Amino acid sequence: MKIINEIIKLKTATTLDFIDITDKIQKKIKKAGIKNGVINIQSLHTTMAVIVNEAEPLLIEDMKKILEKLAPRTYKYMHDNFKIRTVHMHPNESVNGHSHVKALHLPTSTYINVTKNKLQLGEWQRIFAVELDASRPRQIALQIIGE
Amino acid sequence: MKIINEIIKLKTATTLDFIDITDKIQKKIKKAGIKNGVINIQSLHTTMAVIVNEAEPLLIEDMKKILEKLAPRTYKYMHDNFKIRTVHMHPNESVNGHSHVKALHLPTSTYINVTKNKLQLGEWQRIFAVELDASRPRQIALQIIGE
Amino acid sequence: MKIINEIIKLKTATTLDFIDITDKIQKKIKKAGIKNGVINIQSLHTTMAVIVNEAEPLLIEDMKKILEKLAPRTYKYMHDNFKIRTVHMHPNESVNGHSHVKALHLPTSTYINVTKNKLQLGEWQRIFAVELDASRPRQIALQIIGE
């Protein structure tokens, strides 16, 4: 039984960028040489989610719309009220209350079976890192356990 | 330490069918002979979720209502616009934009502790496969790790 | 490879109490002596969730608001109609349809990588147990696997 740690580095383009990371993960599993086990695919950020869905461009537009409806950018979040906020203030912080609230309804990490040295995915399942904040560098931590 | 793969096959009856698969999973854990460990219960479909909640029939009606309100079947999804869509077209595809959008807000897989050769669940916790698309054959992949 | 089971006991104060359990979990990992592996942090209740987000008090108010908007306490849930409900009736049951429906959109368990004998978390990531029902004693089950 082995435990392999890996990091995937990304540069996101914009808010609600859906980045298909399936092939990048497959490569890490191949490299790790684990035939049978599990993998945890974990965002290291509070405003980036890891989801599973179909890689169909129009569907991604639908998903963006529903996330925007759930936690609109135009709504006033207390988190963004820098006059009354007292903690976690940092330079160049973006107005990202909407990003955190979107994140509340999406998974921080996604856990997938590994079989035959590959992700065990259904025909249409693809793994996406979803940027909920503005464009920035991001890291996804992988932990692969198996033999 | 052992790693056991299993598949649970289901035939769903209708959209928003909640199928309690707790007992089926218990049997697979018993058969695997794993006393202490963890299990990943993973949908192999982009329009089927795996959740934990109480098996109370009226509550299930409440949950159906909230999912329908979140991503109504009556709404026009771009994914269903077969005139402009260019990829992943397949014969007999159902109009299922609403199913994918519902799936966005529900877990693809659920990860549960195994203790004493059983699922470690609280008194009211039951595991459901939730059909978000129309009636069809479905598969849930299990990965049990432990000793 | 070791598997360690632990329980964290909590007493919640009120509906939508967000309890930061990160430090409590760190202590259990330290005690378990596992350097490299994974941890599953699992609610044993159908109306308590385990989430990852930033520990900023105003943001927590934003998250409470969105959860209340998603499944308002004032809405009439069939689960709370004790005249027609026939199963799972128990003494002193609270009117908690809203709690179960909130739970539907939040994770029951959260799965985090362990590296260097610590949770592998990003700078702003903290782990919260979220009370969706009224004040009560609660249990979070941990399963730590690694070496």
Side-chain angles (χ1 to χ4, degrees):
Chain A
M1 188 82 63
K2 288 193 290 185
I3 302 177
I4 309 289
N5 308 298
E6 288 280 358
I7 294 281
I8 291 177
K9 291 186 182 183
L10 302 171
K11 176 81 177 68
T12 60
T14 178
T15 310
L16 294 182
D17 197 3
F18 278 62
I19 302 179
D20 186 333
I21 56 174
T22 317
D23 294 340
K24 282 197 164 76
I25 299 167
Q26 293 281 25
K27 271 182 206 157
K28 298 290 192 185
I29 293 172
K30 191 143 269 182
K31 184 183 149 201
I34 286 178
K35 284 202 181 63
N36 200 18
V38 284
I39 183 167
N40 191 37
I41 304 146
Q42 182 192 323
S43 163
L44 291 178
H45 312 279
T46 49
T47 53
M48 164 159 275
V50 178
I51 69 149
V52 178
N53 219 308
E54 186 180 338
E56 194 281 294
L58 298 178
L59 174 64
I60 288 170
E61 294 308 309
D62 290 323
M63 293 194 282
K64 287 179 188 179
K65 241 183 256 171
I66 200 92
L67 284 170
E68 203 51 45
K69 194 176 146 201
L70 196 71
R73 254 168 275 194
T74 51
Y75 180 79
K76 290 218 175 306
Y77 298 91
M78 292 177 68
H79 182 61
D80 301 330
N81 188 338
F82 296 157
K83 284 188 193 150
I84 61 169
R85 203 168 116 194
T86 54
V87 298
H88 293 186
M89 300 303 298
H90 48 101
N92 309 317
E93 179 168 354
S94 55
V95 170
N96 69 357
H98 77 98
S99 317
H100 286 285
V101 173
K102 283 175 177 119
L104 179 65
H105 297 288
L106 296 176
T108 289
S109 68
T110 287
Y111 191 78
I112 301 286
N113 300 335
V114 172
T115 52
K116 301 174 190 169
N117 196 219
K118 285 197 299 191
L119 290 163
Q120 184 183 24
L121 292 176
E123 185 179 2
W124 305 102
Q125 288 183 310
R126 303 288 292 180
I127 301 166
F128 295 90
V130 185
E131 178 59 79
L132 303 169
D133 212 323
S135 163
R136 60 193 59 199
R138 295 297 205 178
Q139 294 191 34
I140 306 289
L142 309 179
Q143 193 86 311
I144 319 170
I145 301 192
E147 57 196 11
Chain B
M1 188 82 64
K2 287 193 293 186
I3 302 177
I4 308 287
N5 307 299
E6 287 281 356
I7 295 281
I8 291 178
K9 290 185 183 184
L10 301 172
K11 176 82 178 67
T12 59
T14 177
T15 308
L16 294 182
D17 197 3
F18 278 63
I19 302 180
D20 186 333
I21 55 174
T22 317
D23 294 340
K24 281 196 165 76
I25 298 167
Q26 293 282 24
K27 271 182 205 157
K28 298 290 192 185
I29 292 172
K30 191 142 270 181
K31 184 183 149 201
I34 285 177
K35 286 203 180 61
N36 199 19
V38 285
I39 182 168
N40 191 36
I41 304 148
Q42 181 193 324
S43 164
L44 290 178
H45 312 280
T46 48
T47 53
M48 163 160 276
V50 177
I51 68 150
V52 178
N53 218 309
E54 186 180 339
E56 195 281 293
L58 298 178
L59 174 65
I60 288 170
E61 294 309 308
D62 290 323
M63 292 194 282
K64 288 178 187 179
K65 242 182 258 173
I66 201 91
L67 284 171
E68 203 51 45
K69 195 177 144 200
L70 196 72
R73 253 167 276 194
T74 51
Y75 180 79
K76 290 218 175 304
Y77 298 91
M78 293 176 67
H79 182 60
D80 300 329
N81 189 337
F82 296 157
K83 283 187 194 153
I84 60 169
R85 202 167 118 194
T86 53
V87 297
H88 292 186
M89 300 302 299
H90 47 101
N92 309 317
E93 179 168 352
S94 54
V95 169
N96 69 356
H98 76 98
S99 317
H100 285 285
V101 173
K102 284 175 177 119
L104 180 64
H105 296 288
L106 295 176
T108 289
S109 68
T110 288
Y111 191 78
I112 300 287
N113 300 335
V114 172
T115 52
K116 300 174 191 169
N117 196 219
K118 284 197 299 192
L119 290 162
Q120 184 183 24
L121 292 175
E123 185 178 2
W124 306 103
Q125 287 183 310
R126 303 288 292 180
I127 301 165
F128 294 90
V130 184
E131 178 59 78
L132 303 169
D133 211 322
S135 164
R136 59 194 59 200
R138 294 297 205 179
Q139 293 191 34
I140 305 290
L142 310 179
Q143 194 85 310
I144 319 168
I145 300 193
E147 56 196 11
Chain C
M1 187 82 64
K2 287 193 292 184
I3 302 176
I4 309 288
N5 307 299
E6 287 281 357
I7 294 282
I8 291 177
K9 291 185 183 185
L10 301 171
K11 176 82 177 69
T12 59
T14 177
T15 308
L16 294 181
D17 198 3
F18 278 62
I19 302 180
D20 187 332
I21 56 175
T22 318
D23 294 339
K24 282 197 165 75
I25 298 167
Q26 293 281 27
K27 271 182 206 158
K28 298 290 193 184
I29 292 172
K30 191 142 267 182
K31 184 183 148 200
I34 286 177
K35 285 204 181 62
N36 198 19
V38 284
I39 182 168
N40 191 38
I41 304 148
Q42 182 192 325
S43 163
L44 291 178
H45 312 279
T46 48
T47 54
M48 164 160 275
V50 178
I51 68 150
V52 178
N53 219 309
E54 186 180 338
E56 194 281 292
L58 297 179
L59 174 64
I60 289 171
E61 294 309 309
D62 290 323
M63 292 194 282
K64 288 179 187 179
K65 243 183 255 171
I66 200 90
L67 285 171
E68 202 52 43
K69 195 177 146 203
L70 195 71
R73 255 167 275 194
T74 50
Y75 180 78
K76 289 217 176 309
Y77 298 91
M78 293 177 68
H79 182 61
D80 300 330
N81 188 338
F82 296 158
K83 283 186 192 152
I84 60 168
R85 202 169 116 194
T86 54
V87 297
H88 293 187
M89 301 302 299
H90 48 102
N92 310 317
E93 179 167 352
S94 55
V95 169
N96 70 356
H98 76 98
S99 317
H100 285 285
V101 173
K102 284 175 177 117
L104 179 64
H105 297 289
L106 296 176
T108 289
S109 68
T110 288
Y111 191 78
I112 301 286
N113 301 335
V114 172
T115 52
K116 301 174 189 169
N117 196 219
K118 284 199 298 192
L119 290 163
Q120 185 184 23
L121 292 176
E123 185 179 1
W124 305 102
Q125 289 184 309
R126 302 289 291 180
I127 301 165
F128 294 90
V130 185
E131 178 59 80
L132 303 169
D133 212 322
S135 163
R136 61 194 58 201
R138 293 298 204 179
Q139 294 191 34
I140 305 290
L142 309 179
Q143 194 85 310
I144 319 168
I145 300 191
E147 56 196 11

